[in-house]
Amino acid sequence: MMSVVYSKVKISDNIFEACKLIRNSIGLPIGEIKNKIQKGEVLLECDYLDLEELIKMKDLLGSLKALGAQIYLYKNNHEVNMEFLSNTIESYKGIAEDREKIDELMFSDEE
């Protein structure tokens, strides 16, 4: 079973600007995005193990927050906060760096 991070967004002011930002990221029509926001439906979703997707989601949510949006973030069915998302991303970056160091050590021994 895939582990998923998803978000709901509430915004009243700047809703058109928010819809444009979201459309540029996920490609849904503005009317559909606005509908999802107004109904409180899941708006953004990504695989919890996909570092690039998590970074895109975090950046988009940060931009929406700057427009005054309230962000509701979930991992599977549990509510989490933006700090959780940031910590997850930093952990994954650290793991990637560690893997690179291990690879360098392993391959430098072969020479």
Side-chain angles (χ1 to χ4, degrees):
M1 186 175 105
M2 184 171 81
S3 190
V4 175
V5 174
Y6 61 95
S7 178
K8 298 177 182 179
V9 174
K10 279 189 184 175
I11 188 166
S12 49
D13 299 333
N14 301 317
I15 193 162
F16 186 68
E17 289 84 357
C19 289
K20 286 195 307 188
L21 277 174
I22 295 163
R23 184 190 63 200
N24 290 340
S25 180
I26 63 174
L28 286 177
I30 286 183
E32 195 173 328
I33 294 167
K34 187 176 177 189
N35 232 6
K36 285 179 177 272
I37 291 171
Q38 290 172 334
K39 291 180 178 178
E41 295 177 355
V42 172
L43 192 59
L44 305 170
E45 189 174 301
C46 74
D47 181 347
Y48 177 69
L49 301 176
D50 188 328
L51 177 59
E52 286 183 30
E53 288 296 312
L54 290 173
I55 291 170
K56 284 181 194 174
M57 177 184 253
K58 179 181 174 254
D59 291 346
L60 178 56
L61 293 176
S63 297
L64 292 171
K65 205 167 183 173
L67 287 175
Q70 291 176 285
I71 307 297
Y72 300 91
L73 194 59
Y74 304 87
K75 179 182 180 279
N76 297 333
N77 291 325
H78 302 287
E79 190 165 2
V80 295
N81 57 26
M82 289 290 283
E83 188 176 335
F84 172 85
L85 192 57
S86 296
N87 290 342
T88 300
I89 289 168
E90 291 309 310
S91 294
Y92 288 173
K93 285 180 179 176
I95 290 167
E97 289 170 10
D98 290 346
R99 280 189 187 145
E100 285 177 20
K101 289 176 188 171
I102 290 169
D103 285 348
E104 286 174 16
L105 289 172
M106 286 175 52
F107 292 119
S108 67
D109 288 347
E110 291 178 4
E111 293 174 8

